Amino acid sequence: MYISFWIPTVVLTAALAIKLPTIIRLWRDPLLRAVGGLLLLACAVFVFAAPATIAWVNRVTGVPNLAAPLVYSLLTAFCGSCLLLIIAWRNGLSDRSAEARRAMRLVICAYSGVIVTLWVLFALADAPVERVQDLDTYYANTPFMREETLLYLLAHCTAVLITSRLIWNWVRTEGLDAWLRWGLVFLGVGYGLNLIFDAAKLTAVAARWTGHDLDWLSTDLAPPVAALSAILIAVGFILPHAGQYLHDRWQVRLAHHELRPLYLLMKSVNGSGVRFVLRATPELRLIRRETFIRDVLLPLARHIDEDLRGRSYDAALALGHRPGRAKALAAAVTIQDAVRRRSRAPDGDGTGGPDTTDLLQEIGAVSRALRHPDEIEAVRARTAAPAGNVPVHD
């Protein structure tokens, strides 16, 4: 299996771009800072771990394999960011306890120490032959390079184990938002795949110690696993934000669409509708449609027959509709009747000024009822029929 390192880089960059406005706006939030740092470091890991970038770094610096401690350092910093993120998540926005601060300082000091040690070990090692893809196994028996490889893999494995456990514990928490829960699932799977990466690397290195050759685990299996892991982690960060955003946009557009039948009916009363504005946002279009409907309903109210609404409500209940649905059907019958009354006597006195509070608040339910003219006609027919001629249904 082959996955280009540039694919997770693009996905991680997209996740960072989506989160960046919120991170900048709420920079004092430790959780958002941790997310931003983690995504930035994850992008850097895959940029500098790409074979072409490794060769470029070695060539520019003139030091064979200098890209190795650079990539290992970025990966170690990524591990530390994972732990910092979990600490920020666990303690929330308002918890500034001494325990949380100590834990964050411990993580920063420990992983900073690992990074410094990686560079010291590389300086002490003798690694003159450039290895772009198989450095871990090629120098598995080389003093100091061997320890460097073990150090970064153990630091990575430790962080992934802790992060995975805490994420899966969180997934099982009651009352989570659905988008957040799915985001955590993707994060959990992504971090779990990192354990496969570590296992593949460690197995290949240990095989070299025993005189065996399992280099394919390090060169052919570990890189695509790491790439797939990064993609899932990026999706895990994107999903709660993008999913909620798309859900909200869908709800706005759905509400706008559901108001169309009542809007068209009010448009027939008013003679014209809402003026189209090309650059209006979906939220603004919804507000303007709601406002137009209510503005037309208010003067129409004096033509509303409250007695008809009460009888229509009883008829809808008798037909088996639930109270909420019966109320909407009765309002639809009443509004249609008011429109006809107004068309016959636009300057008539009407029936007074009935309370339109319910109508103005339930325009969505009334509009949905207008999408079912057969049900409205059934209510109207039962309302108009003499009591003795109405068939009784079980």
Side-chain angles (χ1 to χ4, degrees):
M1 182 177 64
Y2 173 75
I3 300 177
S4 171
F5 274 21
W6 298 110
I7 294 176
T9 303
V10 170
V11 178
L12 288 164
T13 303
L16 181 59
I18 290 173
K19 289 284 188 181
L20 192 58
T22 305
I23 293 171
I24 294 174
R25 188 171 65 252
L26 302 174
W27 177 249
R28 296 177 64 85
D29 182 351
L31 172 58
L32 290 174
R33 289 203 305 270
V35 170
L38 187 144
L39 290 173
L40 186 60
L41 286 169
C43 291
V45 167
F46 281 93
V47 168
F48 285 95
T53 309
I54 290 175
W56 177 82
V57 170
N58 294 336
R59 184 176 66 254
V60 169
T61 60
V63 179
N65 301 312
L66 184 69
L70 175 60
V71 173
Y72 296 164
S73 298
L74 289 171
L75 187 59
T76 302
F78 169 77
C79 296
S81 294
C82 293
L83 291 176
L84 290 174
L85 175 62
I86 290 300
I87 293 171
W89 260 346
R90 183 188 63 186
N91 291 280
L93 301 180
S94 59
D95 192 334
R96 307 287 182 175
S97 66
E99 181 183 359
R101 291 196 297 270
R102 280 196 303 270
M104 297 184 85
R105 283 197 299 267
L106 178 62
V107 170
I108 293 171
C109 291
Y111 279 84
S112 297
V114 170
I115 292 173
V116 171
T117 305
L118 287 172
W119 285 97
V120 171
L121 290 171
F122 180 77
L124 296 173
D126 183 18
V129 180
E130 182 184 53
R131 308 303 298 183
V132 175
Q133 293 181 301
D134 62 346
L135 183 138
D136 293 341
T137 51
Y138 186 85
Y139 288 107
N141 293 304
T142 302
F144 301 112
M145 286 300 293
R146 173 182 58 226
E147 287 77 10
E148 176 157 3
T149 300
L150 280 177
L151 181 60
Y152 96 82
L153 286 175
L154 289 176
H156 183 259
C157 188
T158 300
V160 168
L161 280 171
I162 296 172
T163 305
S164 297
R165 179 184 175 186
L166 293 174
I167 286 176
W168 286 114
N169 286 342
W170 195 2
V171 169
R172 291 190 287 270
T173 302
E174 295 293 334
L176 284 183
D177 174 76
W179 292 109
L180 176 58
R181 188 182 299 278
W182 276 106
L184 290 172
V185 168
F186 276 97
L187 286 174
V189 174
Y191 282 113
L193 285 176
N194 272 313
L195 294 175
I196 298 177
F197 169 86
D198 292 328
K201 287 282 187 178
L202 287 169
T203 302
V205 170
R208 280 294 187 120
W209 296 344
T210 59
H212 297 85
D213 185 354
L214 293 177
D215 290 7
W216 66 272
L217 290 173
S218 177
T219 56
D220 297 333
L221 177 62
V225 168
L228 182 58
S229 169
I231 292 172
L232 293 176
I233 289 173
V235 171
F237 283 116
I238 291 173
L239 196 59
H241 184 280
Q244 189 60 52
Y245 174 83
L246 293 175
H247 175 75
D248 292 344
R249 296 286 78 72
W250 169 253
Q251 290 298 111
V252 169
R253 292 183 183 277
L254 181 62
H256 185 270
H257 176 71
E258 287 182 339
L259 287 176
R260 179 174 173 77
L262 185 56
Y263 167 73
L264 293 177
L265 183 59
M266 296 299 97
K267 185 178 177 180
S268 68
V269 174
N270 191 62
S272 62
V274 177
R275 184 172 60 86
F276 178 75
V277 178
L278 182 62
R279 300 186 65 179
T281 63
E283 292 85 356
L284 180 58
R285 289 175 181 168
L286 174 61
I287 291 172
R288 295 180 69 199
R289 177 165 286 189
E290 290 174 340
T291 302
F292 173 82
I293 290 172
R294 292 188 174 103
D295 287 346
V296 179
L297 271 176
L298 281 172
L300 189 66
R302 62 193 183 93
H303 297 281
I304 287 178
D305 187 341
E306 284 296 318
D307 179 62
L308 174 62
R309 181 155 62 161
R311 288 186 287 111
S312 298
Y313 177 73
D314 293 337
L317 289 177
L319 289 171
H321 294 288
R322 293 181 179 275
R325 180 66 173 173
K327 188 176 181 181
L329 288 169
V333 169
T334 307
I335 290 173
Q336 287 180 338
D337 176 75
V339 171
R340 284 193 291 268
R341 285 169 176 264
R342 181 185 179 280
S343 63
R344 291 195 300 266
D347 298 324
D349 294 334
T351 59
D355 183 7
T356 59
T357 303
D358 289 344
L359 287 178
L360 296 178
Q361 290 178 346
E362 302 297 331
I363 58 175
V366 175
S367 187
R368 288 191 294 272
L370 288 171
R371 291 184 177 275
H372 301 276
D374 52 334
E375 294 182 4
I376 293 175
E377 288 303 318
V379 171
R380 181 178 286 110
R382 190 178 183 97
T383 303
N389 295 337
V390 175
V392 177
H393 299 282
D394 294 332

